[in-house]
Amino acid sequence: MTTRGEIFARIRAGIGRDDALDDEKARELIDRLESPKRNLVPARSDLDRTRLVDLFVSMAEEAAATVQRVSHAGAIPRAVVSYLARHNLPMRVTMAPDSSLDRIPWKLEPMLALRQGKADPADEVSLTAAFAGIAESGTLMVISGAHHPSTLNLLPDSHMVVLHENQIVGAYEDGWDLLRRAQGDGEKRLPRTVLFVTGPSRSADIEQTIQMGAHGPRRLHILLVADYVGQGRQAS
Amino acid sequence: MQSTARRFKQNAHEAMADAPLQKALGNIKHGFIQKRRKAAARLPEFEALRDQAREIKNHTLAHLDFYLERFEQKVVDNGGTVHWCRTAEDARRAILSVCRLVGAKTVTKGKTMIGEEIGINDFLAEHGITPVETDLGEYIIQLRNETPSHIIAPAIHVNKEQVAEAFRKEHTHLEPGRLLDDPPQLLAEARQEMRDKFLAADVGITGANFLIAETGSSVIVTNEGNGDLTQTLPRVHIVLASLEKVVPTLEDASTILRVLARSATGQEFSVYTTFSTGARRADDLDGPEQYHVVLLDNGRSDMIGTEFQEMLRCIRCGACLNHCPVYGAVGGHAYGWVYSGPMGAVLTPSLIGIGEAGHLPNASSFCGRCEEVCPMRIPLPKMMRHWREREFERQIRPTVARTGLRLWAFMVRRPWLYRRLTGFAVHMLASWAHGGARLQRLPMAKGWTAYREFPVPEGSTFVDQWRAHQRQILEEELA
Amino acid sequence: MADEKPNVALFATCLVDLFRPTVGFAAARLLEDAGCEVSVPHVQTCCGQPAYNNGDRKDTRRIAAKVIKAFAGYDYVVAPSGSCAAMIRRHYPELFKDDPKRAEAAQDLADRTYELVSFITDVRGRRAVVARHDGSCTYHDSCSGLRELGVREQPRTLLRSVFGLDLHELPDSDVCCGFGGTFCVKYPEISNRMVEEKVKNVQETGAEMLLAGDLGCLMNIWGKLRRDGVDIQVRHVAEVLAGMLDRPPIGEIKPKRDVPSWPPASASVQD
């Protein structure tokens, strides 16, 4: 017997079933996988849009992210530059090759040097979009792909993220629904990574004292845009 | 890893004399415990979520074969490989062969308890491959050549001076003048040192908090981001997980995640929760080229259908350790193997045998605080008792203790005999005390009187006094 | 409302029977004051926990069978111990789960069995007692009562009704004192560390008296306090609630002159 076969035989012996499931039961379980049902979702994020956005902001800030609300995408370049200046960071940003970020009028800030691509170990600041914001815990839902190299979320010391208010949903389950809808009937598998980010990197491994920036970014800055009216792949 | 569980008492004795350890353990009370309490109180649905989390795992374990098959199918569909491993040796070999296939020289590692369980670091090192722990706590104990003393805070027993000492010894490039006095300086040093290692590694090994049958994904939860770097930068990502980690859907994982971080650190959500599905896609700019899942049994399939099955719900949050007064007194190393605290007291005998780990389920006052906080509602004391029963049945315990217990039980079942003997005991204790109210030494209760005074009974037994009292009332009524 | 008095069997528990009969008398008084008819079945011994917690399931079942028989026919069985009451309420039914006939009897006993203080409040509906104590007390939550039976507010409610009593909350009152039955002699060094912590917390309250609902914990904490030379009185909560403070606290009594001779004259068993 193969190792695999042996393991399955032991599991089934423990369960008290000789063989695989009968068809009816298997059908039931396959349905459970193919049309996943929600379990209990906390009522915390069951709010109207304004309060949902407020909840996202307060939870993100509680997790030590900083949130800057801007009225429209045209205000982003200014906000980026002033953030970099405030933290004494170089005017060099590595940006995700994301069409929604391309549409931002970067030429308004000629001093800002943008490079698109994956992160280089020497990069100090990255700028990416997010797939969604999860209000219940102030979490960014970030997916990898051609438009979003994972390294941008992790290697630079400062990570800036553009999120539009109408991308904010209540619960993780809402995020999964959005993703399944965005994938449509074509791609059945998830992106290589779906990353939920709640605040900047930290560690309490030395004397149970929390310190920011253990391996990932020391700073997580969210640029929250109020008037998103594009046709991105995100929330409608 | 070599177990020292047999010398638990000696380990505990040494641990209680270890000042830095004792200080660290004292901090848990105001750290993890308070934070968990606040986080739980803040979420009105917390208790209901615990119930659902338990049901999700119960359902999964009842159909584990089905969900594992589905998980495997999805991994394969996504271009990954699943390696089925019965034993720790199987898993070590599977990992080594993947490493050799790509000519790996260094391997970075995210925190994995299964890695500790199979002793992967030593094994790789023996075969010429350098393993580098990337979780800060794991890195510290790797430098110190130790094992983790806590599931989620592996270096909880180490103080900052000891960390500085380890860095000075191992980071040979360090200038002597470099300040390593406080945690931020230490963190900066570790971060800098680690960056090059991340970039140089050929293979990244992570554990998994969950495996998702619906999508064939593995999930890791970290606060540092080390796990993500480990699985993103090298050419190969190996997920090392035990088979009970599987859950059906993304929704199911989300439910359990809501109780995981709150129970572990009291956070609303950990900083990085990553669902990884397969290797780099055609148009991805980064990510590993290969995705392997090393799926380990190592005794777990034997727990299914037994009184220990419920232990397979454990999500390794560490809440039972934090709340255990025994763990709080002796720390993790005293338990002598990978897993410590109440969850270790139940799991370790399943994995290395009750003969070896017999002390662990016995060293509990059954206070029940572990079960009270377990997010998966695992009845830990009940299962420790089951281990004691197995020990008793197999006559592993010392004959004197067994015989004493049987004699006592014989007497308890015979009230007339019991009355006589307790009456005698009252008499003896009183006479030993020479009219005093307490005893400082009592030969048959040395464990007690080594640290505590022993009270002398008030007089005759209650039942005897009550009867005398009733008789007196009766006589007064008649008179 | 029916004025019929429930017939309550007092299960003194082996520790009270042997070491501190005062607790038994206090319990009886509390039950009588709460309108119960109290009996003390003479065939009672121990609930079986030492066997149960040391893995001797067979003997535990035998002992449990005896206990079930001893307490048949009473409306309620009440023990001045969360630990022993929980043994009967929570664990007896489980002991016989593969023996339907006995399981039924075990469940029946479990349903009738209560820890003393919660019985007074939850079943007899008393929110206050008539007692007085001019002094400060602190209260330790014994593990089984707290976690297996939900005894937490009940003793505090009743203690607050004691005239003159000043109740100081004990820091970490819900953390085990290290007694744990045979645990304290099997792992004495660890048990000692736990009771050291408890004693530290007790002293921190500044209270003159420590109370709890289980004699095992009380003997353990008392033993440590005395060994350390700390002069804090220790009593079972029932003694204060029943106003039986005329008797000396735990471990302060010199055995009376009436220490029974051997064999004790009163030890003939009739029922």
Side-chain angles (χ1 to χ4, degrees), chain B residues 143-213:
Chain B
L143 294 185
R144 288 166 53 88
N145 204 13
E146 289 179 314
T147 56
S149 66
H150 190 288
I151 303 177
I152 64 159
I156 199 167
H157 59 285
V158 185
N159 66 23
K160 62 179 195 290
E161 289 76 20
Q162 294 169 315
V163 177
E165 196 187 309
F167 284 2
R168 284 198 199 284
K169 191 165 153 231
E170 301 291 331
H171 299 177
T172 43
H173 55 81
L174 259 180
E175 293 159 27
R178 172 79 182 259
L179 286 177
L180 293 177
D181 296 339
D182 58 20
Q185 289 164 350
L186 291 165
L187 180 68
E189 167 59 20
R191 183 180 164 116
Q192 196 181 328
E193 178 79 16
M194 206 71 81
R195 268 301 156 96
D196 298 335
K197 294 189 168 153
F198 274 125
L199 297 165
D202 308 293
V203 172
I205 301 176
T206 68
N209 291 82
F210 305 97
L211 304 171
I212 314 284

Side-chain angles (χ1 to χ4, degrees), chain A residues 4 6-17 19-21 25 29 33, chain B residues 55-73 84 211-213 241-248 295-305 309-313:
Chain A
R4 183 184 184 280
E6 205 183 318
I7 291 173
F8 276 89
R10 281 166 178 273
I11 291 173
R12 288 182 182 136
I15 293 173
R17 176 157 42 71
D19 218 330
L21 292 163
K25 188 69 191 174
L29 296 185
L33 290 180
Chain B
E55 293 315 315
I56 290 165
K57 277 282 195 177
N58 282 350
H59 168 82
T60 313
L61 291 171
H63 308 96
L64 188 61
D65 53 338
F66 171 83
Y67 285 116
L68 285 172
E69 272 180 336
R70 292 290 296 204
F71 171 74
E72 177 187 37
Q73 188 57 50
W84 297 90
L211 304 171
I212 314 284
S242 51
L243 39 83
E244 83 281 12
K245 292 291 165 208
V246 70
V247 295
L295 207 46
L296 178 68
D297 179 348
N298 207 26
R300 289 165 176 82
S301 58
D302 292 339
M303 293 164 71
I304 295 171
Q309 173 171 324
E310 292 182 273
M311 192 60 218
L312 297 175
R313 290 203 299 264

